[in-house]
Amino acid sequence: MDSKENNKVITSKAKKILRSQSQTIEPVVWVGKEGVEKVIEEVRRQLKDKSLIKVKIRKSAIEGMEKDEIAKIITDSTDSEVVSIVGNVVTLFKPKEGWKKYTTCKPKTAKTGDKYIEEFESLRSRKHLMDR
């Protein structure tokens, strides 16, 4: 693994798509009073099967630590990324095919107006050469 994969950050567009996909799924793992360490293996298994899962954090687990801390422990242990935290539900994502697709932004293409201007300029310069 290279250092870029260790410091992965999902692009905002990818997060938006993943949040919309996660609307219909139900939590598959629950973190209770036993703590986060007890559910890490189950989270890994579910991420391997589904790539996008929800983890429900029970009130008894929140008494010991914050939701953000619990999410951080899970993501560090499973090499996943937090898509969203809504209430006591954390949505996690780990792609099956690799992170590159989700962490790199596509280069911005020229606007269509710019394309037409370039074509016009090239045609105009050709016409100018032909007139001589």
Side-chain angles (χ1 to χ4, degrees):
M1 240 190 318
D2 60 26
S3 62
K4 188 172 184 173
E5 283 191 355
N6 279 339
N7 298 327
K8 62 198 165 302
V9 177
I10 299 176
T11 61
S12 59
K13 188 172 184 176
K15 273 191 180 184
K16 185 178 179 181
I17 292 168
L18 291 168
R19 272 194 304 267
S20 69
Q21 290 175 353
S22 71
Q23 293 293 319
T24 58
I25 64 174
E26 294 294 319
V28 292
V29 179
W30 287 263
V31 178
K33 63 183 175 184
E34 302 262 331
V36 181
E37 290 76 26
K38 296 282 185 176
V39 297
I40 295 294
E41 285 305 313
E42 182 62 24
V43 170
R44 278 194 188 114
R45 192 173 323 121
Q46 292 292 335
L47 283 169
K48 184 178 177 186
D49 292 342
K50 300 178 183 179
S51 287
L52 182 67
I53 65 167
K54 285 186 179 179
V55 177
K56 175 91 174 186
I57 303 172
R58 304 266 185 191
K59 289 182 182 179
S60 58
I62 295 175
E63 292 173 3
M65 57 178 66
E66 295 292 319
K67 294 179 282 190
D68 296 337
E69 293 172 16
I70 293 171
K72 176 84 171 129
I73 292 169
I74 293 172
T75 57
D76 290 344
S77 301
T78 60
D79 190 35
S80 60
E81 185 78 19
V82 174
V83 175
S84 66
I85 300 176
V86 178
N88 292 341
V89 178
V90 179
T91 305
L92 300 173
F93 175 69
K94 181 179 180 182
K96 294 180 182 177
E97 66 277 355
W99 284 102
K100 188 170 185 177
K101 176 180 174 184
Y102 299 95
T103 57
T104 57
C105 296
K106 292 182 180 177
K108 293 185 178 182
T109 58
K111 295 178 184 176
T112 55
D114 295 342
K115 180 181 167 186
Y116 293 123
I117 291 171
E118 288 175 16
E119 286 181 30
F120 176 75
E121 291 296 329
S122 67
L123 290 173
R124 192 172 86 175
S125 65
R126 284 185 201 157
K127 183 179 178 191
H128 180 67
L129 291 174
M130 293 172 79
D131 287 344
R132 287 185 175 180

